[in-house]
């Protein structure tokens, strides 16, 4: 047997207890890059020489009957995953990537609340993977190399259409999913979710944006059309020849690395692009599509902007900001007014990298869009609405050498029995107890939630006696994390509490850390919405 658990058992016996307990004060996580081949230093390439690509809007290929009610015809889309060559920078040869519908990121799915669609996700990939599979992982042991299954992140979707990690399929197969879209306007995204290789498939390019619209949003007269632009930000490592490089550890049979950080920052698939804009308001739908990198975005000239929405939709009112942070999978909806910046070139930057450049034209323009002072109503959920509180630990295990070897949720493996079984339409509080040195962005499928608070605590007392010693007051979420969310950063040495109405379909879903390297190495668990 080569199951993950057996592998670990064997190792710990052989080494006389190789694994230390969940990381507390005992071991620090190492962020050092493993031994790796030469990579291209992306900062040697001239920035801002390529225009920002805007992924095409997905086109429906007609109407099809719903399998469940054959008299109802709904728009049908077919998106095929294929190997493609993508020109990511003027001075580089095209890079081999995998993309849906001929591009990476793939075409944007435009959806309207209340209007169901069908999407056939086809696997037209080659038989061999081009990125380093770790065959020890659950799902990657003795299975075909190339497997995909697509998840609509943030979608309230029936379980059979949610992209359950074990529902993967091989080249020349496809699955047709139904998306009822009974949810409010928001930027969702679709991405691969195949068990054990998800980090590699998304790194290869298997993701894209999905925008839900509704009447409440229409009524706001926000910037639209070419003045509404998706910005999907993701980092990659490149070989000197400009091909995607995914690093491996120095152990050939255990190639997994705990996190991927690249120095080539791509937006919509171009390295350090520029966008020509008019001196007026724009709406930017920003997604962090990176495997592990967090972004702290601001304009180099200090330009202020407004945030109007989070992962799951609009805020009650715009928030004026100079800086916004995004963990992997998080989204923000921003209004940027270039009206006072005529003729300027403004860089959008992260703490350590330039991300892209905006070139504002000089002439006067007429901007008829609005930034209303009130947006939509977002009822704040009260703690008293919750019928249950679950205490859930985020666990990281290290070897004696200090290397991270495994991450778990509540000390449980993927294949352990399901322990989280919320009742449909009930509300629960989930408390993420994080003794590790990392923020883990925790995502729940099928639902939206609100962040209640975060509080510093003393990990050792909790580990030894299951006793909470809090080291400070409960902190409310950051302004940019208020409103409805589907992914929340559970910060290091803190207890992060979210409140979740399980208003979705009954059935099996998953919850996991959205650092993709963690997710693939057991930081993902099934959960089940049960009927009351
Ligand atoms: Cu972005 Cu399990 O999802
Ligand atoms: Cu999801
Ligand atoms: Cu994590």
């Amino acid at each position: 047997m080569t199951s993950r658990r057996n592998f670990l058992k064997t190792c710990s016996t052989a080494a006389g207890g190789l694994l230390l307990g969940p990381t507390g004060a005992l071991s620090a996580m190492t962020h050092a890059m493993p031994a790796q081949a030469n990579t291209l230093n992306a900062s040697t390439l001239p920035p801002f020489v390529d225009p920002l690509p805007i992924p095409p809007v997905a086109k429906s290929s007609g109407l099809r009957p719903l399998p469940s009610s054959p008299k109802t015809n709904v728009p049908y889309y077919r998106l095929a995953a294929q190997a493609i060559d993508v020109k990511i920078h003027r001075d580089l040869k095209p890079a081999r990537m995998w993309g849906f519908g001929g591009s990476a990121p793939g075409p944007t799915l435009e959806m309207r609340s209340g209007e169901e669609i069908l999407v056939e996700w086809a696997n037209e990939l080659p038989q061999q993977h081009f990125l380093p599979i770790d065959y020890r992982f659950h799902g990657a042991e003795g299975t075909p190399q190339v497997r995909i299954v697509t998840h609509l992140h943030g979608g309230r979707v029936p379980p059979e259409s949610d992209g359950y990690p074990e529902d993967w399929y091989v080249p020349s197969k496809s699955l047709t999913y139904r998306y009822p879209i009974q949810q409010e306007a928001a930027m969702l995204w679709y991405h691969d979710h195949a068990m054990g290789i998800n980090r590699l498939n998304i790194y290869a390019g298997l993701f894209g944006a999905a925008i839900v619209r509704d009447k409440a949003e229409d009524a706001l007269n926000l910037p639209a059309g070419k003045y509404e632009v998706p910005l999907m930000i993701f980092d990659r490592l490149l070989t000197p020849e400009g091909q995607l490089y995914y690093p491996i550890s120095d152990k050939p049979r255990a190639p997994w690395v705990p996190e991927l950080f690249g120095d080539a920052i791509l937006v919509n698939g171009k390295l350090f692009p520029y966008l020509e804009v008019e001196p007026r308001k724009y709406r930017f739908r920003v997604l962090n599509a990176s495997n592990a990198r967090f972004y702290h975005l601001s304009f180099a000239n200090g330009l202020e902007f407004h945030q109007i929405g989070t992962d799951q939709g609009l805020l009650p009112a715009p928030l004026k900001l100079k800086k916004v942070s995004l963990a992997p999978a998080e989204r923000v909806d921003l209004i940027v007014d270039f009206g006072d910046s005529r003729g300027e070139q403004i860089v959008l930057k992260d703490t350590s990298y330039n991300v892209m450049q905006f070139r504002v034209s000089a002439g006067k323009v007429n901007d008829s869009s609005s930034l209303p002072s009130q947006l939509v109503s977002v009822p704040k959920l009260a703690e008293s609405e919750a019928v249950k509180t679950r205490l859930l630990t985020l666990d990281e295990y290290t070897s004696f050498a200090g290397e991270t070897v495994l991450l778990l949720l509540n000390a449980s493996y993927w294949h352990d029995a399901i322990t989280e079984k919320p009742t449909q339409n009930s509300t629960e509080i989930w408390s993420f107890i994080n003794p590790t040195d990392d923020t883990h962005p925790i995502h729940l499928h099928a639902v939206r939630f609100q962040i209640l608070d975060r509080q510093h605590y003393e990990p050792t007392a909790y580990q030894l006696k299951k006793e909470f010693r809090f080291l400070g007051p409960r902190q409310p979420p950051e302004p940019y994390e208020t409103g409805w969310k589907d992914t929340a950063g559970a910060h290091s040495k803190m207890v992060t509490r979210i409140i979740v109405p399980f208003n979705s379909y009954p059935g099996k879903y998953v919850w996991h850390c959205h650092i993709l390297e963690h997710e693939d190495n057991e930081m993902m668990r099934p959960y089940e919405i049960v009927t009351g």
Side-chain angles (χ1 to χ4, degrees):
M1 269 241 346
T2 51
S3 84
R4 185 76 184 131
R5 176 180 273 170
N6 268 284
F7 161 79
L8 285 160
K9 259 194 208 142
T10 320
C11 283
S12 52
T13 341
L18 173 77
L19 293 171
L20 300 178
T23 0
L26 288 176
S27 55
M29 174 148 176
T30 156
H31 281 282
M33 267 298 174
Q36 61 184 47
N38 265 342
T39 56
L40 181 85
N41 177 352
S43 70
T44 59
L45 292 164
F48 319 135
V49 295
D50 292 289
L52 176 81
I54 314 281
V57 171
K59 281 202 191 67
S60 148
S61 31
L63 298 173
R64 289 262 176 115
L66 277 180
S68 53
S69 65
K71 284 197 193 114
T72 319
N73 285 302
V74 303
Y76 162 86
Y77 296 79
R78 185 177 190 275
L79 289 175
Q82 292 158 332
I84 53 174
D85 291 312
V86 182
K87 184 102 173 133
I88 61 177
H89 186 276
R90 184 195 66 190
D91 299 345
L92 293 176
K93 291 211 190 74
R96 169 48 51 100
M97 293 183 77
W98 287 358
F100 280 107
S103 67
T108 299
L109 280 169
E110 279 279 350
M111 310 184 290
R112 281 204 68 91
S113 185
E115 294 179 10
E116 181 148 354
I117 63 167
L118 290 171
V119 181
E120 178 181 353
W121 299 101
N123 185 346
E124 296 180 359
L125 292 166
Q127 299 288 340
Q128 272 177 1
H129 218 299
F130 68 112
L131 297 173
I133 294 175
D134 192 320
Y135 293 100
R136 300 167 307 151
F137 284 179
H138 187 57
E141 326 151 287
T143 49
Q145 284 191 2
V146 179
R147 305 173 280 121
I148 66 166
V149 63
T150 310
H151 166 60
L152 180 64
H153 178 125
R156 189 195 293 162
V157 161
E160 62 279 6
S161 290
D162 194 51
Y164 197 70
E166 290 172 343
D167 291 347
W168 50 263
Y169 45 96
V170 296
S172 86
K173 299 274 187 243
S174 74
L175 270 184
T176 301
Y177 278 176
R178 58 175 275 242
Y179 299 129
I181 317 300
Q182 304 284 347
Q183 61 188 95
E184 288 173 26
M187 181 196 200
L188 317 181
W189 62 305
Y190 60 84
H191 63 71
D192 183 71
H193 223 302
M195 195 79 209
I197 52 168
N198 175 36
R199 72 194 181 291
L200 306 175
N201 286 353
I202 296 179
Y203 193 79
L206 294 178
F207 67 90
I211 311 249
V212 178
R213 309 199 180 272
D214 65 10
K215 289 207 183 94
E217 182 193 287
D218 294 345
L220 297 172
N221 187 39
L222 298 165
K226 64 173 176 159
Y227 305 114
E228 181 190 11
V229 181
L231 301 178
M232 292 174 263
I233 309 177
F234 49 102
D235 60 330
R236 295 292 182 267
L237 284 168
L238 302 174
T239 66
E241 296 73 42
Q243 295 298 312
L244 293 195
Y245 177 72
Y246 191 95
I248 49 172
S249 76
D250 51 12
K251 296 176 205 66
R253 296 192 52 228
W256 177 79
V257 295
E259 272 125 22
L260 175 288
F261 296 112
D263 64 342
I265 312 289
L266 282 75
V267 188
N268 297 352
K270 282 281 185 210
L271 186 55
F272 311 129
Y274 69 85
L275 178 67
E276 284 176 352
V277 293
E278 297 169 17
R280 53 159 287 152
K281 289 191 286 305
Y282 278 76
R283 181 178 186 192
F284 295 112
R285 316 298 298 264
V286 189
L287 158 70
N288 180 353
S290 296
N291 282 33
R293 184 181 289 286
F294 289 58
Y295 296 96
H296 309 280
L297 302 173
S298 61
F299 289 103
N301 67 351
L303 180 67
E304 287 187 322
F305 53 88
H306 284 91
Q307 183 193 351
I308 58 166
T310 54
D311 304 337
Q312 280 289 321
L314 293 164
L315 289 167
L319 268 168
K320 197 186 242 192
L321 296 175
K322 281 196 153 171
K323 188 174 190 167
V324 70
S325 296
L326 283 174
E330 285 187 309
R331 287 89 72 205
V332 282
D333 195 347
L334 304 179
I335 301 285
V336 181
D337 193 345
F338 296 109
D340 292 331
S341 308
R342 294 218 302 270
E344 286 180 43
Q345 300 193 337
I346 305 174
V347 170
L348 178 71
K349 65 179 195 68
D350 174 46
T351 331
S352 24
Y353 295 95
N354 288 335
V355 173
M356 65 175 291
Q357 183 194 54
F358 295 92
R359 299 183 182 167
V360 191
S361 60
K364 265 216 155 85
V365 297
N366 163 33
D367 181 0
S368 58
S369 70
S370 341
L371 175 59
S373 57
Q374 298 302 317
L375 299 164
V376 295
S377 82
V378 179
K380 201 168 164 3
L381 300 181
E383 267 183 63
S384 57
E385 291 171 53
V387 296
K388 194 178 182 85
T389 293
R390 296 181 194 268
L391 303 179
L392 302 158
T393 55
L394 314 182
D395 314 299
E396 184 174 322
Y397 299 86
T398 51
S399 68
F400 277 129
E403 294 158 321
T404 301
V405 292
L406 169 73
L407 298 110
L408 299 178
L409 295 171
N410 221 22
S412 305
Y413 289 80
W414 167 259
H415 57 234
D416 287 333
I418 299 183
T419 40
E420 283 71 59
K421 293 185 177 179
T423 303
Q424 187 184 26
N425 298 325
S426 75
T427 296
E428 296 193 355
I429 292 171
W430 287 23
S431 281
F432 304 119
I433 303 163
N434 181 1
T436 76
D437 292 325
D438 280 339
T439 293
H440 298 275
I442 303 296
H443 167 54
L444 275 68
H445 285 210
V447 292
R448 58 181 187 173
F449 57 75
Q450 293 174 4
I451 301 176
L452 284 174
D453 46 47
R454 297 187 177 92
Q455 192 170 21
H456 283 285
Y457 80 112
E458 207 287 296
T460 315
Y462 186 79
Q463 235 163 269
L464 300 177
K465 295 181 256 166
K466 292 274 172 291
E467 215 174 80
F468 278 117
R469 282 184 41 210
F470 289 108
L471 304 176
R474 284 184 169 153
Q475 300 170 15
E478 300 293 334
Y480 55 77
E481 315 175 291
T482 54
W484 291 109
K485 300 272 297 163
D486 59 41
T487 306
H491 294 335
S492 168
K493 313 272 194 285
M494 292 188 100
V495 176
T496 300
R497 299 194 312 150
I498 63 168
I499 183 162
V500 198
F502 286 89
N503 301 336
S504 192
Y505 303 84
K508 264 203 298 182
Y509 294 99
V510 304
W511 67 286
H512 58 89
C513 174
H514 223 289
I515 291 177
L516 302 180
E517 285 70 29
H518 297 183
E519 177 183 344
D520 271 347
N521 195 356
E522 293 287 343
M523 210 171 198
M524 175 167 72
R525 285 279 293 154
Y527 85 90
E528 187 176 354
I529 301 182
V530 298
T531 45

